[in-house]
Amino acid sequence: MSAKIYTEKDADLQVLSDRTVAVIGFGSQGHAHALNLKEGGIRVIIGLYPESRSRVVAKDFGFEVCDTAEAVRKADILFIAVPDLKIADVYEKDISPHLNSHKTLLFSHGFAIHFRTIVPEENMDIVMVAPKGPGHLVRQLFVEGKGVPALIAVYQDPSKHARSVALAWAKGIGSTRAGVFETTFKEETETDLFGEQTVLCGGVSALIQKGYETLVEAGYQPEMAYFEVLHELKLIVDLINESGISGMRFSISETAKYGDITIGPKIIDTSVKERMQAALKDIQNGKFANDWIHEYKSGLRRYRALLAAGEEHPIEKVGSRLRSLMPWIKRRNTKGTQASY
């Protein structure tokens, strides 16, 4: 069954007009939602812990910035824009003691609710608005008069108005311009984790590295390997994004097409699908979430070691040098920019 799709005509921003919304956290999604809603005439305050470096940034944008507990007390709708594994501590310390049945909790990802790292009372509305893009893109497209598609979900609805709040929020951040799709916390969480792990991040990263290693170990120059397995990937992804897989094939050479349809399935074969199914099962039964929570509570040693090893892969050094020769490629500061509370 296809998802229900909402557009501009289905959402009323006035639903938020007489309410104060608090954005808890001012990282990637938090800053984008806050700025877009503020420009739509919604009263937005920011909740942060006292030592947060984001306080100055938020104040510079003209927001009232409060300690988290104070923001929770003042607000009617609370957008918890805090990293997944920090939500539990923030919720227990600064959010839960100040909740009541008149407040709405809003999330941009279902992890904390679905895996029950927090368990709110049943007397309040709990909704999700999950843009299908990073915060900087949510902000950029909004300013351009466009929008990032989003998912909405209702987890609890004692007021019987939760969906209208979620749709109003989606409209306020620009997502109804592109289409808003109804889902559940369970479906969003499990499919999002699966996509990140097996295709979009984990799958693509590992495929690129193995392709690079194969060419270099066979005696080809590292620069040639970089261009063929990484640099040109953007062209292919853009074509797929614009026209689908068949549309991409329309734009490439006959030789590339033949290699695509005959060799690709031999590389990504049924054994890969079986491992994808195993990864999905680990997401569904909570094993991945439990492993990640344990890693976080243990100090992130393995996590940091794996990231550091990835940064030392030879393709990173070759890529950095080659990208420096291409001034048209937009650089992003990747040090110290992780979305934070």
Side-chain angles (χ1 to χ4, degrees):
M1 184 172 62
S2 298
K4 185 169 184 178
I5 305 174
Y6 299 93
T7 59
E8 289 277 84
K9 62 181 176 56
D10 300 308
D12 182 6
L13 195 57
Q14 291 301 308
V15 169
L16 305 179
S17 63
D18 60 348
R19 306 192 190 193
T20 297
V21 305
V23 174
I24 310 301
F26 205 69
S28 176
Q29 291 291 338
H31 93 281
H33 289 230
L35 287 167
N36 292 2
L37 289 166
K38 181 173 181 281
E39 291 181 12
I42 307 305
R43 171 167 162 70
V44 181
I45 62 176
I46 308 299
L48 295 167
Y49 68 94
E51 297 80 21
S52 172
R53 291 175 296 175
S54 297
R55 293 179 81 101
V56 172
V57 179
K59 286 180 180 178
D60 286 345
F61 278 114
F63 289 105
E64 175 186 347
V65 179
C66 311
D67 289 349
T68 301
E70 181 184 358
V72 173
R73 286 193 293 267
K74 287 183 174 182
D76 305 296
I77 302 171
L78 310 169
F79 174 33
I80 304 181
V82 178
D84 290 331
L85 296 190
K86 293 186 177 180
I87 288 177
D89 289 341
V90 176
Y91 183 83
E92 181 179 352
K93 177 184 175 184
D94 291 322
I95 297 176
S96 180
H98 310 292
L99 294 177
N100 59 55
S101 61
H102 301 295
K103 297 184 188 291
T104 296
L105 294 181
L106 189 146
F107 299 83
S108 62
H109 182 37
F111 189 102
I113 292 292
H114 179 57
F115 291 118
R116 299 176 68 82
T117 64
I118 64 171
V119 184
E121 298 292 330
E122 296 180 358
N123 65 348
M124 69 188 74
D125 291 353
I126 299 177
V127 299
M128 176 172 59
V129 180
K132 300 311 295 176
H136 74 269
L137 193 60
V138 173
R139 179 60 182 158
Q140 176 187 326
L141 292 185
F142 179 87
V143 171
E144 294 174 359
K146 306 170 189 173
V148 170
L151 309 180
I152 64 164
V154 175
Y155 186 76
Q156 291 181 181
D157 187 18
S159 76
K160 308 303 181 187
H161 299 297
R163 183 172 285 98
S164 65
V165 169
L167 284 169
W169 190 284
K171 185 168 187 169
I173 64 172
S175 289
T176 50
R177 300 169 181 172
V180 173
F181 300 78
E182 189 156 18
T183 184
T184 64
F185 273 65
K186 178 181 186 295
E187 184 175 59
E188 185 277 336
T189 303
E190 293 177 355
T191 57
D192 185 75
L193 293 175
F194 176 81
E196 291 169 349
Q197 293 171 22
T198 66
V199 180
L200 302 178
C201 303
V204 168
S205 298
L207 188 65
I208 290 170
Q209 290 175 339
K210 297 306 179 189
Y212 177 88
E213 292 167 10
T214 300
L215 286 175
V216 172
E217 289 166 8
Y220 298 101
Q221 296 180 85
E223 294 81 2
M224 299 304 106
Y226 176 87
F227 281 123
E228 296 306 330
V229 304
L230 191 154
H231 180 78
E232 292 191 28
L233 182 64
K234 183 180 186 307
L235 168 65
I236 301 302
V237 170
D238 285 347
L239 289 171
I240 293 173
N241 181 261
E242 293 163 5
S243 306
I245 295 173
S246 295
M248 175 273 291
R249 288 173 175 162
F250 178 81
S251 299
I252 62 178
S253 72
E254 295 296 322
T255 303
K257 261 195 287 245
Y258 182 69
D260 169 358
I261 60 179
T262 61
I263 307 303
K266 295 179 181 179
I267 305 301
I268 309 299
D269 61 9
T270 54
S271 69
V272 174
K273 186 175 180 181
E274 289 168 2
R275 290 190 291 277
M276 284 183 168
Q277 290 168 335
L280 178 58
K281 184 176 180 180
D282 284 347
I283 291 168
Q284 292 170 327
N285 63 25
K287 183 180 184 303
F288 170 78
N290 290 334
D291 288 349
W292 177 217
I293 291 167
H294 175 74
E295 175 67 19
Y296 178 76
K297 290 182 177 180
S298 300
L300 298 173
R301 287 185 294 274
R302 179 170 178 267
Y303 167 78
R304 291 189 176 118
L306 290 172
L307 285 177
E311 291 174 2
E312 293 303 313
H313 192 282
I315 198 172
E316 298 296 339
K317 295 179 173 58
V318 172
S320 178
R321 177 165 55 83
L322 292 179
R323 288 190 297 273
S324 71
L325 304 175
M326 305 176 223
W328 57 88
I329 293 181
K330 184 175 182 179
R331 307 297 198 277
R332 295 194 188 280
N333 177 15
T334 58
K335 301 296 183 182
T337 58
Q338 183 70 30
S340 62
Y341 171 53

